[in-house]
Amino acid sequence: MSTTITAIQLEELRSGDRLRYHGVDWNIEEYSTYQDPQGYLTDEWLLNSPGGSQYYLLREFDPNNQSISVTWYLAHPLQNARLALPNSQENIVPRLWQDMQSQAEPYPELQLFYKSYYFESQTEGNYETEGDTQSRITWDYWDQEHQMNLAIEAFSHGQLNIYSTKIVKPEEFSHIQKTIEKNHINIIGYASKIFQTLVALILLFLGLTLMIFG
């Protein structure tokens, strides 16, 4: 039961909310969605930590996966990543966007940090964030153990994103705090400080009165 509640709470996260993962508090900076014509859907939350780390929390709905229709992922953006074909040292990242946009056949195997990932699926659909809609093509690769995912995204305007992704469970997250709740707590704290100040002033006034007229 708790897992269901936690999953629902995660689904309701929006910009300005907060949650905790493995002892670190993360702020929700952005919420976006992605959907293709076949019904494949992802909800995506951009997480920022106070230390400057950045991850994406993903909720994937795959209508073709009969056993597990919804899967949660945590994706880490890879900066200046180098991807190579087997038995090659050439970095193919500079040509990946063009390959994907031209509907080229995905590479069967790619290597990242000398680890092999194998092509599994391709999706193409609309990516929407804060009123802005773009076309996006995604190639998904998995390692041999199917524990780590390599996701490559090509947007229509020329942007290419590469992520290292792992599967997570909703119950791994805690301390979910909505923006409204945070504002309510801040208001209560502010009111409490005002009350304490008033009490202190009243006591000070009474003390001075007793000193003068006592």
Side-chain angles (χ1 to χ4, degrees):
M1 183 66 179
S2 59
T3 301
T4 303
I5 294 174
T6 304
I8 293 174
Q9 290 174 326
L10 289 179
E11 293 170 15
E12 294 175 345
L13 288 171
R14 293 298 182 268
S15 299
D17 296 341
R18 184 183 300 170
L19 80 166
R20 183 173 297 174
Y21 177 72
H22 284 195
V24 178
D25 291 325
W26 298 85
N27 294 316
I28 309 299
E29 295 296 327
E30 187 177 86
Y31 169 72
S32 55
T33 60
Y34 170 80
Q35 187 170 10
D36 70 10
Q38 287 71 44
Y40 176 88
L41 172 68
T42 61
D43 295 280
E44 306 181 6
W45 295 266
L46 174 58
L47 312 181
N48 281 340
S49 74
S53 297
Q54 190 175 85
Y55 282 82
Y56 279 91
L57 174 64
L58 310 176
R59 177 191 180 274
E60 176 192 68
F61 172 76
D62 187 354
N64 296 320
N65 190 339
Q66 299 297 327
S67 58
I68 305 176
S69 59
V70 174
T71 308
W72 291 85
Y73 300 93
L74 198 63
H76 176 51
L78 300 178
Q79 304 297 329
N80 303 315
R82 290 180 56 88
L83 297 177
L85 300 176
N87 303 316
S88 173
Q89 297 297 319
E90 179 191 1
N91 180 20
I92 67 168
V93 170
R95 68 170 188 258
L96 261 180
W97 183 88
Q98 183 61 43
D99 289 343
M100 296 174 73
Q101 290 295 324
S102 64
Q103 302 295 323
E105 193 73 19
Y107 300 102
E109 179 183 346
L110 292 176
Q111 291 189 339
L112 172 68
F113 304 132
Y114 302 101
K115 182 180 178 68
S116 292
Y117 292 82
Y118 304 93
F119 177 76
E120 181 174 278
S121 63
Q122 172 179 325
T123 58
E124 181 175 0
N126 291 325
Y127 177 83
E128 183 174 343
T129 175
E130 298 180 354
D132 182 29
T133 302
Q134 303 175 36
S135 174
R136 187 179 81 182
I137 299 172
T138 304
W139 287 356
D140 273 305
Y141 290 77
W142 286 89
D143 64 1
Q144 192 168 16
E145 295 78 19
H146 213 272
Q147 295 297 316
M148 295 297 297
N149 168 265
L150 174 66
I152 307 170
E153 300 175 346
F155 289 85
S156 55
H157 65 279
Q159 181 179 346
L160 183 76
N161 295 333
I162 301 175
Y163 299 94
S164 175
T165 306
K166 67 176 182 178
I167 296 175
V168 294
K169 297 179 180 179
E171 56 264 33
E172 296 179 43
F173 298 87
S174 64
H175 295 76
I176 296 173
Q177 193 173 52
K178 302 291 290 181
T179 304
I180 296 176
E181 294 174 356
K182 289 191 292 183
N183 292 339
H184 181 64
I185 292 173
N186 291 337
I187 291 173
I188 292 176
Y190 182 67
S192 176
K193 290 181 180 179
I194 292 177
F195 177 75
Q196 292 173 7
T197 302
L198 289 174
V199 170
L201 289 174
I202 292 172
L203 292 176
L204 178 62
F205 176 77
L206 291 175
L208 291 174
T209 302
L210 290 174
M211 289 177 60
I212 296 173
F213 301 102

